[in-house]
Amino acid sequence: MTRYVPAVASVLMFAFAFGAWAQSSPPQHQHVAPNLIDGAVHPERIPDSVAYRLYLVTVSTGQNPAEAEQIRQRAHLVKTGLVDTDQQIFTSILSDFRTKYDALVAEYNDSAKAATARNKTTDVHTLLEKLDDLVQSTRNTISVRLSSRGAAKLHSFVVSEKKNMKVTED
Protein backbone atom coordinates (compact mmCIF):
# COMPACT_ATOMS: atom_id res chain seq x y z
CA MET A 1 0.00 0.00 0.00
CA THR A 2 1.25 3.48 -0.80
CA ARG A 3 0.82 6.22 1.80
CA TYR A 4 1.57 9.83 1.09
CA VAL A 5 2.40 12.33 3.77
CA PRO A 6 0.34 15.55 3.61
CA ALA A 7 2.35 18.46 2.22
CA VAL A 8 2.41 20.30 5.54
CA ALA A 9 3.82 17.26 7.31
CA SER A 10 6.42 16.82 4.56
CA VAL A 11 7.59 20.40 4.96
CA LEU A 12 7.77 20.05 8.75
CA MET A 13 9.68 16.78 8.50
CA PHE A 14 12.13 18.44 6.10
CA ALA A 15 12.58 21.41 8.44
CA PHE A 16 13.23 19.18 11.45
CA ALA A 17 15.52 16.90 9.48
CA PHE A 18 17.47 19.87 8.18
CA GLY A 19 17.79 21.33 11.68
CA ALA A 20 19.01 18.02 13.06
CA TRP A 21 21.49 17.66 10.19
CA ALA A 22 22.81 21.19 10.72
CA GLN A 23 23.47 20.48 14.40
CA SER A 24 25.25 17.18 13.84
CA SER A 25 28.79 16.54 12.68
CA PRO A 26 29.37 16.47 8.92
CA PRO A 27 28.01 13.23 7.47
CA GLN A 28 30.35 10.66 5.99
CA HIS A 29 27.89 10.06 3.17
CA GLN A 30 24.31 10.95 2.47
CA HIS A 31 21.48 8.46 2.18
CA VAL A 32 18.18 8.99 0.47
CA ALA A 33 15.25 7.44 2.30
CA PRO A 34 14.44 4.17 0.49
CA ASN A 35 10.75 5.07 0.38
CA LEU A 36 11.24 8.55 -1.10
CA ILE A 37 10.07 9.07 -4.65
CA ASP A 38 12.04 11.80 -6.36
CA GLY A 39 9.93 13.20 -9.17
CA ALA A 40 13.04 14.41 -10.97
CA VAL A 41 14.05 10.76 -11.36
CA HIS A 42 10.69 8.93 -11.42
CA PRO A 43 7.80 11.34 -12.09
CA GLU A 44 5.67 8.42 -13.30
CA ARG A 45 5.69 6.97 -9.77
CA ILE A 46 3.93 10.02 -8.34
CA PRO A 47 0.16 9.58 -8.79
CA ASP A 48 -1.68 12.50 -10.39
CA SER A 49 -3.88 12.78 -7.29
CA VAL A 50 -0.82 13.37 -5.11
CA ALA A 51 0.62 15.88 -7.58
CA TYR A 52 -2.68 17.76 -7.56
CA ARG A 53 -2.84 17.75 -3.75
CA LEU A 54 0.66 19.15 -3.43
CA TYR A 55 0.04 21.73 -6.15
CA LEU A 56 -3.35 22.82 -4.79
CA VAL A 57 -2.00 23.21 -1.25
CA THR A 58 1.01 25.16 -2.52
CA VAL A 59 -0.92 27.56 -4.73
CA SER A 60 -4.10 28.06 -2.69
CA THR A 61 -4.64 30.80 -0.14
CA GLY A 62 -7.12 31.16 2.68
CA GLN A 63 -10.07 33.50 2.72
CA ASN A 64 -9.14 37.19 2.38
CA PRO A 65 -5.47 36.62 1.50
CA ALA A 66 -2.94 39.38 2.12
CA GLU A 67 -1.60 41.24 -0.90
CA ALA A 68 1.69 39.32 -0.75
CA GLU A 69 -0.21 36.01 -0.88
CA GLN A 70 -2.24 37.21 -3.87
CA ILE A 71 0.92 38.25 -5.70
CA ARG A 72 2.55 34.87 -4.97
CA GLN A 73 -0.56 33.05 -6.18
CA ARG A 74 -0.76 35.09 -9.39
CA ALA A 75 2.91 34.36 -10.08
CA HIS A 76 2.16 30.63 -9.79
CA LEU A 77 -0.96 30.86 -11.95
CA VAL A 78 0.80 32.71 -14.77
CA LYS A 79 3.07 29.68 -15.19
CA THR A 80 0.05 27.48 -15.99
CA GLY A 81 -0.70 29.32 -19.23
CA LEU A 82 -4.39 29.72 -18.36
CA VAL A 83 -6.26 32.62 -19.96
CA ASP A 84 -7.50 35.35 -17.60
CA THR A 85 -11.05 33.99 -17.39
CA ASP A 86 -9.83 30.51 -16.44
CA GLN A 87 -7.35 32.01 -13.97
CA GLN A 88 -10.15 33.89 -12.22
CA ILE A 89 -12.32 30.77 -12.04
CA PHE A 90 -9.39 28.69 -10.84
CA THR A 91 -8.60 31.26 -8.13
CA SER A 92 -12.14 30.83 -6.83
CA ILE A 93 -11.79 27.04 -6.93
CA LEU A 94 -8.48 27.30 -5.05
CA SER A 95 -10.06 29.45 -2.35
CA ASP A 96 -12.85 26.91 -1.87
CA PHE A 97 -10.33 24.06 -1.82
CA ARG A 98 -8.21 25.78 0.83
CA THR A 99 -11.21 26.48 3.06
CA LYS A 100 -12.18 22.80 2.98
CA TYR A 101 -8.57 21.61 3.32
CA ASP A 102 -7.96 23.80 6.37
CA ALA A 103 -11.24 22.62 7.93
CA LEU A 104 -10.26 18.95 7.47
CA VAL A 105 -6.81 19.52 8.98
CA ALA A 106 -8.28 21.50 11.90
CA GLU A 107 -10.84 18.74 12.52
CA TYR A 108 -8.07 16.15 12.54
CA ASN A 109 -5.88 18.24 14.85
CA ASP A 110 -8.78 18.74 17.28
CA SER A 111 -9.50 15.02 17.35
CA ALA A 112 -5.79 14.29 17.84
CA LYS A 113 -5.64 16.66 20.82
CA ALA A 114 -8.73 15.05 22.33
CA ALA A 115 -7.32 11.56 21.74
CA THR A 116 -4.00 12.52 23.31
CA ALA A 117 -5.82 13.81 26.38
CA ARG A 118 -7.42 10.35 26.70
CA ASN A 119 -4.09 8.57 26.01
CA LYS A 120 -5.36 7.31 22.66
CA THR A 121 -4.12 7.69 19.12
CA THR A 122 -5.75 9.19 16.05
CA ASP A 123 -5.97 7.41 12.72
CA VAL A 124 -4.23 9.55 10.10
CA HIS A 125 -5.60 7.29 7.34
CA THR A 126 -9.06 8.81 7.80
CA LEU A 127 -7.61 12.29 7.21
CA LEU A 128 -5.70 11.09 4.16
CA GLU A 129 -8.86 9.54 2.70
CA LYS A 130 -10.80 12.77 3.26
CA LEU A 131 -8.01 14.78 1.65
CA ASP A 132 -7.97 12.40 -1.33
CA ASP A 133 -11.73 12.86 -1.67
CA LEU A 134 -11.34 16.64 -1.50
CA VAL A 135 -8.64 16.60 -4.19
CA GLN A 136 -10.81 14.44 -6.46
CA SER A 137 -13.81 16.70 -5.90
CA THR A 138 -11.66 19.73 -6.73
CA ARG A 139 -10.36 18.06 -9.88
CA ASN A 140 -13.97 17.36 -10.91
CA THR A 141 -14.85 21.01 -10.29
CA ILE A 142 -11.87 22.13 -12.37
CA SER A 143 -12.98 19.98 -15.31
CA VAL A 144 -16.53 21.35 -15.11
CA ARG A 145 -15.88 25.04 -14.45
CA LEU A 146 -12.76 25.75 -16.51
CA SER A 147 -12.86 25.76 -20.27
CA SER A 148 -11.92 22.38 -21.72
CA ARG A 149 -8.70 23.91 -23.02
CA GLY A 150 -7.98 25.46 -19.61
CA ALA A 151 -8.62 22.20 -17.76
CA ALA A 152 -6.30 20.36 -20.17
CA LYS A 153 -3.59 23.02 -19.79
CA LEU A 154 -3.83 22.90 -16.02
CA HIS A 155 -3.65 19.11 -15.98
CA SER A 156 -0.62 19.13 -18.26
CA PHE A 157 1.05 21.73 -16.05
CA VAL A 158 0.40 19.86 -12.79
CA VAL A 159 1.68 16.60 -14.28
CA SER A 160 4.80 18.39 -15.54
CA GLU A 161 5.41 19.70 -12.02
CA LYS A 162 5.95 16.16 -10.72
CA LYS A 163 9.61 16.64 -11.63
CA ASN A 164 9.82 19.15 -8.77
CA MET A 165 8.12 16.94 -6.18
CA LYS A 166 9.35 14.43 -3.67
CA VAL A 167 6.91 12.20 -1.83
CA THR A 168 7.17 9.25 0.48
CA GLU A 169 5.57 5.88 0.04
CA ASP A 170 5.34 2.85 2.26
Side-chain angles (χ1 to χ4, degrees):
M1 177 178 157
T2 302
R3 184 177 137 245
Y4 299 95
V5 179
V8 174
S10 297
V11 170
L12 290 175
M13 286 189 303
F14 176 78
F16 290 129
F18 182 84
W21 173 78
Q23 294 174 2
S24 65
S25 61
Q28 298 297 322
H29 49 82
Q30 294 181 356
H31 292 281
V32 175
N35 60 347
L36 182 69
I37 300 172
D38 184 346
V41 179
H42 293 290
E44 74 284 355
R45 292 184 55 204
I46 299 175
D48 290 352
S49 60
V50 172
Y52 268 91
R53 179 172 40 84
L54 293 174
Y55 180 74
L56 293 170
V57 168
T58 300
V59 178
S60 62
T61 63
Q63 296 293 329
N64 304 314
E67 185 177 346
E69 291 175 297
Q70 291 175 0
I71 291 169
R72 179 188 61 81
Q73 185 179 61
R74 279 193 299 270
H76 279 289
L77 295 181
V78 165
K79 295 176 190 176
T80 64
L82 296 175
V83 296
D84 288 343
T85 307
D86 281 336
Q87 277 189 31
Q88 290 171 358
I89 293 168
F90 187 46
T91 300
S92 172
I93 293 170
L94 286 169
S95 178
D96 185 50
F97 167 82
R98 190 50 175 250
T99 299
K100 292 174 182 176
Y101 179 88
D102 288 345
L104 288 173
V105 171
E107 175 187 311
Y108 174 80
N109 288 341
D110 290 345
S111 68
K113 286 177 189 173
T116 301
R118 296 186 313 262
N119 291 325
K120 298 191 177 194
T121 59
T122 309
D123 182 17
V124 72
H125 296 292
T126 302
L127 172 63
L128 295 174
E129 288 174 9
K130 289 179 180 181
L131 292 176
D132 286 345
D133 291 344
L134 174 60
V135 169
Q136 186 56 53
S137 171
T138 303
R139 290 178 69 185
N140 294 344
T141 301
I142 288 168
S143 67
V144 169
R145 293 195 49 210
L146 264 59
S147 67
S148 58
R149 186 174 188 167
K153 268 189 171 187
L154 182 63
H155 178 74
S156 178
F157 179 79
V158 171
V159 169
S160 76
E161 284 298 295
K162 289 180 183 184
K163 68 184 177 292
N164 299 316
M165 298 177 185
K166 292 182 182 181
V167 298
T168 59
E169 72 175 351
D170 56 21

